[in-house]
Amino acid sequence: MAQQRALPQSKETLLQSYNKRLKDDIKSIMDNFTEIIKTAKIEDETQVSRATQGEQDNYEMHVRAANIVRAGESLMKLVSDLKQFLILNDFPSVNEAIDQRSQQLRALQEECDRKLVALRDEVSIDLYELEEEYYSSRLYRHSSEEIHTPPLRGKAKQKGGTSGSQGHGSDPGFLGAKGRSLFTSSH
């Protein structure tokens, strides 16, 4: 009742009309059903012949049954109208559903961000270890001897070396320009 008082006058009037329709349709169904039951009783002799009375009762039952069907259809229309009213005018529950969904999505986003940061850290560590392994292996030494260029390790930055695969030995956080741009975070 307190919620109905908070509704604007037009909505409250609409709800009252729905309530009146409901009561009228239920009363119509009950009255017509009661009259059909009364008509089914066989009465003693009347002024009208039995055949005529039977036809009149049959016709009355058809009319009353049609009234019951009409009242039932009206009730179904009322249910449809109530659903539409609820959908269009129940802003608090719609807003609550939107808030719940946005909270779920925020939580999912935070979880994904945490997992991505952890993955970035793991990949960074693994990449560093792989670079260390590669630059300390025979394969790297063998390829650098063929080129006749000494490997640029620790002092490449001091000598003005470019970024890339140089200087991995002395800078543990160094991933190269591409690696740094892939694995840095704005957090």
Side-chain angles (χ1 to χ4, degrees):
M1 285 300 215
Q3 184 181 9
Q4 285 184 352
R5 285 178 177 45
L7 293 174
Q9 187 64 29
S10 62
K11 290 181 184 176
E12 190 170 332
T13 305
L14 184 63
L15 289 174
Q16 287 174 351
S17 75
Y18 288 159
N19 197 15
K20 183 179 183 320
R21 280 173 52 190
L22 174 69
K23 288 179 181 178
D24 290 346
D25 289 337
I26 290 176
K27 184 177 183 315
S28 173
I29 290 172
M30 290 297 294
D31 290 346
N32 283 298
F33 188 74
T34 303
E35 290 302 316
I36 288 175
I37 299 297
K38 284 181 186 176
T39 307
K41 275 196 224 176
I42 298 177
E43 295 180 11
D44 293 333
E45 287 296 319
T46 60
Q47 293 177 349
V48 183
S49 70
R50 281 197 188 269
T52 308
Q53 185 65 40
E55 283 299 315
Q56 182 181 351
D57 290 347
N58 186 26
Y59 177 71
E60 184 179 348
M61 284 185 190
H62 278 80
V63 170
R64 293 199 179 273
N67 287 341
I68 290 173
V69 169
R70 184 208 52 80
E73 288 174 349
S74 178
L75 285 174
M76 290 183 359
K77 173 78 168 97
L78 178 63
V79 168
S80 174
D81 290 347
L82 285 170
K83 286 179 182 179
Q84 184 178 8
F85 176 82
L86 185 64
I87 289 169
L88 296 177
N89 296 307
D90 192 17
F91 295 118
S93 67
V94 170
N95 289 339
E96 182 180 334
I98 290 171
D99 289 342
Q100 286 178 352
R101 183 65 179 155
S102 72
Q103 287 175 355
Q104 289 173 345
L105 292 174
R106 278 191 204 107
L108 181 63
Q109 179 186 7
E110 289 172 1
E111 181 183 349
C112 287
D113 287 345
R114 280 193 303 272
K115 287 180 179 180
L116 284 172
V117 167
L119 183 63
R120 180 202 65 197
D121 292 344
E122 288 178 28
V123 168
S124 176
I125 291 168
D126 291 344
L127 184 60
Y128 176 73
E129 290 172 358
L130 287 172
E131 285 178 340
E132 284 296 312
E133 183 68 28
Y134 174 74
Y135 291 119
S136 65
S137 71
R138 282 192 217 165
L139 180 63
Y140 177 73
R141 282 190 228 131
H142 180 68
S143 65
S144 63
E145 289 172 4
E146 287 179 1
I147 300 174
H148 302 293
T149 308
L152 299 175
R153 296 190 77 178
K155 302 200 180 198
K157 287 187 178 180
Q158 293 174 355
K159 295 180 181 179
T162 60
S163 64
S165 63
Q166 302 169 357
H168 301 291
S170 66
D171 188 3
F174 181 79
L175 295 174
K178 288 183 181 177
R180 222 178 294 123
S181 66
L182 288 174
F183 299 108
T184 55
S185 171
S186 60
H187 296 290

